[in-house]
Amino acid sequence: MGRFTGILGILAVLVAAWLGSTDRKAIRWRTVYWGLGLQFAFAFLVLRFSYGQAFMASAGQVVQNMLAATTAGTKILFGELGLPNAGVFGDVLAKNGHPNAGSIFAFQVLPTIIFI
């Protein structure tokens, strides 16, 4: 059953989208099938071949480099507010038992979303 968890998740998302649709006749099933086909093709390449794994690892490294550049730019632009667990807000959350909290949404998450 553990092997089919991902497939059940995909089906659950598709059913939820279909149920939440206001115009179910306007759904382009060809587009949905293409998306599912690409999903399974990528999964097959990554799970079966080492070059698929290497490609995904290199793509992940590109994303990590972009996030590092975003963090550096945020530090330059916002100073201490751009650092994790920084400022008064970070101190308050750290004192209340939230060791990983304190990231300020406006100064850390939004620049990442805007940049990427």
Side-chain angles (χ1 to χ4, degrees):
M1 186 67 179
R3 291 181 175 217
F4 299 109
T5 305
I7 294 172
L8 290 175
I10 290 172
L11 289 176
V13 168
L14 288 175
V15 168
W18 184 77
L19 289 174
S21 175
T22 57
D23 189 8
R24 294 182 182 139
K25 291 182 181 181
I27 297 173
R28 297 181 188 163
W29 290 105
R30 183 177 177 192
T31 305
V32 173
Y33 295 140
W34 263 100
L36 288 173
L38 288 173
Q39 181 78 26
F40 287 116
F42 280 130
F44 181 75
L45 288 174
V46 169
L47 295 174
R48 295 289 180 196
F49 301 107
S50 61
Y51 63 82
Q53 294 171 1
F55 174 76
M56 286 298 173
S58 65
Q61 188 61 43
V62 168
V63 171
Q64 284 182 351
N65 291 340
M66 291 175 68
L67 290 173
T70 303
T71 302
T74 303
K75 287 180 198 175
I76 291 170
L77 187 61
F78 297 117
E80 185 182 327
L81 290 175
L83 298 173
N85 297 327
V88 177
F89 184 67
D91 292 340
V92 168
L93 288 175
K95 287 178 186 174
N96 289 332
H98 301 285
N100 294 329
S103 297
I104 300 173
F105 184 79
F107 298 110
Q108 293 180 356
V109 177
L110 288 180
T112 303
I113 293 171
I114 291 169
F115 181 71
I116 293 180

